[in-house]
Amino acid sequence: MSTDRTRPAGRRDQGGPRSVPPQRSRRQQPHRPQRPHQWFAERLLAVLSGQRPVHWMLGHTIGEAYDQLAELAPSTPLGSTRGSRPVLRHCRGAQPATGVVEAFASIAEGDRVRAMAFRLEQGPDQRWRCAAVELGGERLTAGAPVPR
């Protein structure tokens, strides 16, 4: 058995690892954590498309937002209509006041694009929570028909 720990057992050549030039890859950027509005857009999409249960948002909503989601989630307003799964295309946010983010997202469902807007508020514990959700220009209210 070989006692040289730099070479695999059974290898007899004297050459060590060869210097291989590094492959060119995409620019390496430091990992930035997702911004709150991007994180919430992904979660809202998952709930409104039926990929996740509404209680997944429990603790991440305040006011009527959770009640709205609880009544809307069973109808899956962003559910796939043509066999393709809806995906988040873009998400942007603006901070009109300290501790408030108003965001919008575009969601692709096959060849159709939908808009979603939501408001986040930061609590005294510094956690962000969803306070309101709108989809396709119509406010998501309990009992209202969902546009398709």
Side-chain angles (χ1 to χ4, degrees):
M1 180 171 206
S2 174
T3 58
D4 187 356
R5 297 192 187 270
T6 61
R7 207 171 22 241
R11 186 170 172 176
R12 300 196 190 290
D13 66 337
Q14 296 299 316
R18 291 190 177 98
S19 176
V20 178
Q23 293 181 348
R24 290 202 165 247
S25 62
R26 295 183 183 174
R27 276 191 333 206
Q28 293 199 0
Q29 298 176 357
H31 176 70
R32 284 189 343 188
Q34 273 190 325
R35 294 184 175 170
H37 60 276
Q38 294 167 327
W39 187 82
F40 271 91
E42 293 282 353
R43 289 182 84 87
L44 289 169
L45 173 60
V47 170
L48 294 173
S49 65
Q51 297 171 31
R52 292 287 187 163
V54 72
H55 67 266
W56 198 46
M57 291 296 290
L58 194 62
H60 300 291
T61 56
I62 56 174
E64 295 181 16
Y66 183 79
D67 295 334
Q68 291 173 344
L69 288 172
E71 288 200 27
L72 288 166
S75 65
T76 59
L78 293 176
S80 66
T81 55
R82 296 176 183 91
S84 61
R85 198 167 144 175
V87 294
L88 186 66
R89 289 179 48 184
H90 301 286
C91 183
R92 303 283 187 266
Q95 195 165 8
T98 303
V100 175
V101 172
E102 292 181 349
F104 66 92
S106 62
I107 298 162
E109 303 174 76
D111 59 351
R112 186 175 182 192
V113 178
R114 305 272 310 262
M116 177 174 63
F118 54 97
R119 179 183 174 98
L120 303 177
E121 295 178 4
Q122 193 172 30
D125 60 356
Q126 302 302 305
R127 290 182 57 205
W128 290 98
R129 291 177 179 86
C130 184
V133 180
E134 292 184 20
L135 184 63
E138 295 183 28
R139 184 157 183 89
L140 296 179
T141 57
V146 176
R148 280 256 173 203

